[in-house]
Amino acid sequence: MATEQTCSNCGGQLFPGDRFCAGCGAHQDADVLGAPAEESSSPLWDPILERLREATAGKYEIGRVLGTGGMAAVYLGREVRLNRRVAMKVMSPGLMMTPGMIERFHNEAVTVAALSHHNIVTIYTVEETADLHYFVMKYIQGPSLETVIRRDAPLPKSVVKAWLTQIASALDYAHSRGVIHRDIKPANILLDEEGNAVVTDFGIAKVPRRSNLTQTGMTLGTPAYMSPEQCTSKEVTAASDQYSLGIVTYELLTGEPPFTGPSLEVMKAHVDERPRPITAFRPHCPPELLAAVDRMIEKDPADRWPNLTGVITAIGGTPISHDDPLRAQLAALASPSAERRRVKEASVPAAPLSGEAPTPEYLEPEPPPVASLVMAPVASSIWVGHTLQLEATPQDMTGGALEGREVVWESSDEGIASVSSTGLVSTHQPGSVTVTASCEGRVATTTLEVVPIVVESVRVRPARRVAAVGHS
């Protein structure tokens, strides 16, 4: 029996021929395929941890590993003098001999240190010894969006809107200073104790005056979230981050990225294929949120939003006040499971005096999706000047009628026949016309021949045959 290959970093499935994981982007060496993710006790990182403790003795206390990857490991630490928890990112010594890697590692620290935004991780200091390069940053104690998606997706629409607003604000700020992240994905967005989204890992960021760190034609990023221009090694701009954020938002709403499979197939899909509509998963998603995401993931960068401020405006994104009930929900999602349940229960608002409390969005069951749309009556022709009332009934998987669903009507030629919002067809001149009804991604059509009223005979009345002279 063949053994399923998994990513050595995130544990995700690998497909034959994958040199890097489509989900997390980690490089896969042929001799470690199928190996479990490295733990803090791995032979690779143990000596580095010991050297780090020796180099920072008296200044920092180094605790458990927070995460490891091909380029670096991140440890939880405590800055002794200020008695605060910090995260320490240490470069893998194995990369120190690779040209440009030390400069790239330091560039990440310098880049982020120059950015001051509450949704971008804060860098405190960058240090180096003879055989160690590391920097110290603010410790974000919550999980990554990757963890939240695996655990809780699809997420409530109000939560998605809040996080999209925060991340878009952070990236728009970075873009205004010439910094392009180039690796926006759920794993690189952490949640603080209040549930606010914090952008991290600018390791492959494109920054002003440092373009020499990226060779022309180089493909950088994580396949599942890469823009079409990244996949084809074309010039990457701020619009590429926008596309990646659109893919992340798609995953928050649906529970999965639009394209999955072997890395090369995923990259090809980003270039050539349209994602399955979000409405197939979330029929009642707000239209402004749908429109914003659809434009963010347009294939051509010129067709996307001019900047991420436009996205925030389009979805009506605003800062969350301290007394907003949504704050408790965000904090709950950033907490361990047991605590999350307690916070959710505590966050349900008390019932007003005049009635019952509304059900929180995360407890509302999603209505069944529209499986089919049936149009009646079946007609093939209609006379000019006449009208025809059409009905379109949305149905669920069992064929049952779904009430309260909006049906949109459209005529292929308004000059021949127009159709009202209620399905009433009015004919104007002879010709062939197609009437289309659509509801939540499902479509039904009928083609009508509008025919003129033909004169087949003429009848004259009265039928008297004799008339007196001079009469009329």
Side-chain angles (χ1 to χ4, degrees):
M1 176 183 286
T3 302
E4 183 182 88
Q5 294 179 336
T6 57
C7 173
S8 58
N9 181 57
C10 72
Q13 183 180 3
L14 293 175
F15 295 84
D18 276 358
R19 296 180 61 189
F20 46 91
C21 176
C24 72
H27 185 271
Q28 306 297 315
D29 293 324
D31 58 344
V32 299
L33 286 175
E38 296 286 353
E39 301 294 339
S40 58
S41 58
S42 70
L44 173 65
W45 289 105
D46 275 353
I48 298 173
L49 176 57
E50 290 305 314
R51 293 204 297 273
L52 180 64
R53 283 172 172 161
E54 292 173 3
T56 61
K59 190 174 182 180
Y60 296 98
E61 294 176 354
I62 314 299
R64 62 183 173 88
V65 66
L66 297 174
T68 61
M71 294 181 60
V74 181
Y75 294 94
L76 176 62
R78 184 177 74 90
E79 189 172 3
V80 176
R81 196 164 187 177
L82 295 177
N83 191 28
R84 66 179 175 184
R85 289 193 295 179
V86 296
M88 305 183 72
K89 186 170 185 177
V90 188
M91 180 181 180
S92 171
L95 295 176
M96 292 173 60
M97 301 302 294
T98 304
M101 292 310 297
I102 293 178
E103 184 180 0
R104 181 181 297 283
F105 186 80
H106 281 257
N107 176 58
E108 177 183 358
V110 172
T111 298
V112 181
L115 301 176
S116 178
H117 191 282
H118 49 276
N119 295 113
I120 296 177
V121 68
T122 302
I123 298 293
Y124 295 140
T125 184
V126 59
E127 304 283 353
E128 63 180 279
T129 65
D131 59 352
L132 282 180
H133 294 264
Y134 64 93
F135 57 83
V136 183
M137 55 188 169
K138 183 178 180 180
Y139 170 57
I140 310 298
Q141 71 177 45
S144 68
L145 286 193
E146 181 180 47
T147 298
V148 174
I149 288 171
R150 290 178 179 177
R151 187 186 65 195
D152 298 308
L155 277 302
K157 298 179 282 289
S158 57
V159 170
V160 175
K161 179 179 172 181
W163 283 340
L164 174 56
T165 298
Q166 292 176 345
I167 302 166
S169 174
L171 291 176
D172 196 58
Y173 168 84
H175 295 163
S176 70
R177 283 148 181 80
V179 177
I180 302 169
H181 191 285
R182 294 200 295 194
D183 197 20
I184 291 298
K185 58 184 178 181
N188 285 342
I189 300 166
L190 302 181
L191 299 178
D192 64 17
E193 62 277 8
E194 295 182 347
N196 298 307
V198 181
V199 180
T200 66
D201 203 342
F202 285 73
I204 62 171
K206 180 180 178 182
V207 299
R209 299 181 301 279
R210 292 180 182 265
S211 58
N212 60 306
L213 292 180
T214 304
Q215 300 173 358
T216 303
M218 227 178 148
T219 302
L220 296 172
T222 302
Y225 307 94
M226 286 166 60
S227 65
E229 56 269 28
Q230 279 179 288
C231 295
T232 54
S233 301
K234 295 180 180 178
E235 182 183 3
V236 172
T237 65
S240 182
D241 281 351
Q242 180 183 146
Y243 181 94
S244 299
L245 179 56
I247 296 296
V248 171
T249 309
Y250 182 105
E251 187 173 4
L252 289 170
L253 288 168
T254 66
E256 60 185 44
F259 308 119
T260 57
S263 300
L264 292 179
E265 290 185 11
V266 170
M267 294 168 70
K268 186 176 186 300
H270 280 300
V271 176
D272 298 328
E273 298 179 18
R274 297 294 303 177
R276 188 179 177 189
I278 293 174
T279 51
F281 304 89
R282 304 289 290 271
H284 294 283
C285 193
E288 67 276 7
L289 184 56
L290 289 175
V293 176
D294 285 344
R295 186 171 176 182
M296 292 173 74
I297 58 176
E298 285 286 348
K299 303 298 183 185
D300 188 342
D303 293 333
R304 298 171 204 155
W305 296 92
N307 52 55
L308 285 168
T309 298
V311 174
I312 297 172
T313 302
I315 66 173
T318 57
I320 308 170
S321 63
H322 290 290
D323 58 351
D324 192 318
L326 180 59
R327 280 225 169 264
Q329 191 174 357
L330 294 176
L333 288 165
S335 303
S337 298
E339 182 180 350
R340 197 166 71 250
R341 286 195 297 270
R342 290 195 297 270
V343 173
K344 280 187 176 182
E345 291 167 2
S347 66
V348 177
L353 295 177
S354 58
E356 297 182 352
T359 303
E361 183 184 12
Y362 50 77
L363 295 179
E364 290 179 359
E366 284 286 345
V370 175
S372 61
L373 192 62
V374 179
M375 188 184 295
V378 178
S380 59
S381 63
I382 182 175
W383 285 331
V384 171
H386 284 221
T387 60
L388 175 65
Q389 180 65 56
L390 296 176
E391 300 287 344
T393 305
Q395 296 182 341
D396 59 20
M397 295 292 292
T398 66
L402 296 172
E403 302 294 337
R405 304 300 175 92
E406 181 182 5
V407 177
V408 178
W409 295 89
E410 184 179 4
S411 167
S412 63
D413 192 330
E414 295 283 343
I416 296 175
S418 57
V419 58
S420 71
S421 60
T422 60
L424 180 65
V425 177
S426 301
T427 59
H428 310 299
Q429 65 182 29
S432 179
V433 64
T434 299
V435 178
T436 302
S438 59
C439 179
E440 298 176 10
R442 302 301 177 183
V443 175
T445 63
T446 184
T447 299
L448 300 174
E449 293 295 330
V450 181
V451 296
I453 300 177
V454 179
V455 178
E456 295 182 347
S457 63
V458 177
R459 187 175 183 180
V460 179
R461 292 184 179 181
R464 293 179 62 184
R465 298 185 180 183
V466 180
V469 173
H471 286 219
S472 62

